[in-house]
Amino acid sequence: MVQDFTGDAPMSLTTYNHVSIPSFMYGTAWKKEATTELVLQAVEAGFTAIDTANQLVHYDEARVGEALLQLGTQGITRDKLFLQTKFTSVNGQDHRLPYDAQASITTQVQQSFASSLAHLHTDYLDSYVLHGPYSRRGLGAEDWEVWTTIESLYDAGKTKMIGISNVTADQLTLLCGKAKHKPMMVQNRCYAAFGWDKEVREICRANQILYQGFSLLTANSGIFAEPDLRAMAAKYQTGLAQIVFRFAQQVGMLPLTGTTNPQHMREDLQSDRFTLLPEEVQHIETIGL
């Protein structure tokens, strides 16, 4: 069950279908040829959840897999890591497709999933995510076909949980209302200027869906000049990034970080070593509005 918390952050969160997921995730977008080394550094720093996608324009899933092979030789076996990857539709890909673009969407999902398993050297995933709906508004026939196929992978036990990324509040409401299995998690870019995706987060809370927030820092660089945020960092003797990540955790989010700095990796994981006051959390909720 996903819940808000104001005390110490838990080591893990639990989805409505009783899957445990670490409370901080390392994202591998834009890492290119550095992906393998950065995943190794992230795990060494303490991350046990890795996010990727079968989409070569932004991710290198196979290089994540290379890191996993090396970790295995160090005794960090598959069962000790949480692996999340995504199906990306043709309109989110370049020419390097992980499936036959002329095949049905059902076949595309199945081919992409099989390719992800091969890249990651595993026979199951912890989380499989639709990278984004085909439709800008509402959900079309393609969206329902892809979601039904993702549900079938879940029903077959090939992934422990399923979710959707880059989704609007209206789309999420439709999906929760009509799907056989509503998402166990949502992963969205999170803007302070829009209340940290408040509307979607409220739908997630009402449906016991885990909310993963990405671009918490890069999408919100403007707030780092705020004197109140700087005062909180001074008070807790921490960095501005850690204030944002701790805020995210305290409002029930699972934050992602994609830092390439090993020192920042360690610092980010220490965000749970202090607790913001309720009024500080409330202030950050509206800081960009």
Side-chain angles (χ1 to χ4, degrees):
M1 179 177 179
V2 181
Q3 59 184 6
D4 290 349
F5 51 92
T6 54
D8 291 335
M11 292 301 291
S12 64
L13 300 167
T14 305
T15 58
Y16 75 77
N17 64 326
H18 313 297
V19 174
S20 181
I21 176 170
S23 59
F24 216 136
M25 186 174 286
Y26 185 71
T28 61
W30 307 105
K31 304 300 187 289
K32 299 184 179 179
E33 63 276 358
T35 299
T36 299
E37 182 58 33
L38 287 169
V39 170
L40 292 171
Q41 290 175 6
V43 173
E44 183 180 359
F47 283 93
T48 56
I50 307 296
D51 172 82
T52 186
N54 204 348
Q55 180 205 32
L56 273 169
V57 66
H58 292 156
Y59 295 82
D60 197 327
E61 190 181 62
R63 281 193 165 103
V64 174
E66 290 173 15
L68 299 176
L69 287 179
Q70 291 187 44
L71 290 167
T73 66
Q74 300 168 22
I76 302 172
T77 49
R78 168 68 183 88
D79 59 302
K80 295 177 182 176
L81 297 170
F82 187 100
L83 300 182
Q84 175 172 282
T85 192
K86 309 177 190 80
F87 169 78
T88 309
S89 62
V90 171
N91 56 19
Q93 302 273 8
D94 61 14
H95 62 283
R96 297 165 295 175
L97 294 166
Y99 48 74
D100 178 3
Q102 303 305 313
S104 69
I105 289 175
T106 297
T107 300
Q108 290 177 22
V109 175
Q110 292 168 342
Q111 290 178 345
S112 186
F113 187 88
S115 173
S116 290
L117 294 184
H119 287 158
L120 299 171
H121 309 286
T122 184
D123 57 4
Y124 73 96
L125 291 173
D126 295 287
S127 179
Y128 197 54
V129 182
L130 171 57
H131 211 157
Y134 285 74
S135 312
R136 291 204 170 196
R137 294 184 180 179
L139 296 174
E142 299 96 336
D143 297 307
W144 289 112
E145 183 176 351
V146 72
W147 188 255
T148 298
T149 310
I150 287 173
E151 287 177 325
S152 70
L153 294 167
Y154 171 71
D155 285 334
K158 295 179 179 180
T159 182
K160 292 184 178 181
M161 56 184 281
I162 55 177
I164 187 167
S165 185
N166 302 300
V167 66
T168 67
D170 289 344
Q171 290 171 328
L172 183 57
T173 298
L174 283 171
L175 194 58
C176 288
K178 295 184 179 180
K180 177 183 177 183
H181 300 294
K182 64 185 179 183
M184 288 104 204
M185 79 85 194
V186 163
Q187 184 192 94
N188 270 7
R189 182 175 280 107
C190 207
Y191 292 99
F194 298 109
W196 306 93
D197 206 17
K198 186 175 182 181
E199 192 175 1
V200 171
R201 287 192 292 118
E202 287 178 347
I203 296 167
C204 288
R205 185 179 296 114
N207 287 275
Q208 298 184 313
I209 296 169
L210 179 64
Y211 183 96
Q212 298 179 2
F214 72 94
S215 291
L216 288 163
L217 305 183
T218 54
N220 300 299
S221 57
I223 70 168
F224 293 113
E226 292 282 346
D228 290 341
L229 205 66
R230 291 180 173 275
M232 289 180 208
K235 172 185 172 181
Y236 294 105
Q237 298 183 314
T238 189
L240 293 168
Q242 287 68 51
I243 296 292
V244 171
F245 289 137
R246 187 58 177 140
F247 156 77
Q249 291 173 324
Q250 285 186 230
V251 297
M253 276 190 223
L254 188 163
L256 281 83
T257 182
T259 181
T260 58
N261 184 310
Q263 173 77 16
H264 292 168
M265 292 175 185
R266 292 188 292 271
E267 290 173 353
D268 292 348
L269 286 170
Q270 293 173 358
S271 299
D272 62 357
R273 296 193 177 182
F274 64 95
T275 301
L276 296 166
L277 297 173
E279 56 266 31
E280 292 171 330
V281 171
Q282 187 175 18
H283 182 66
I284 297 173
E285 281 238 58
T286 59
I287 201 166
L289 299 180

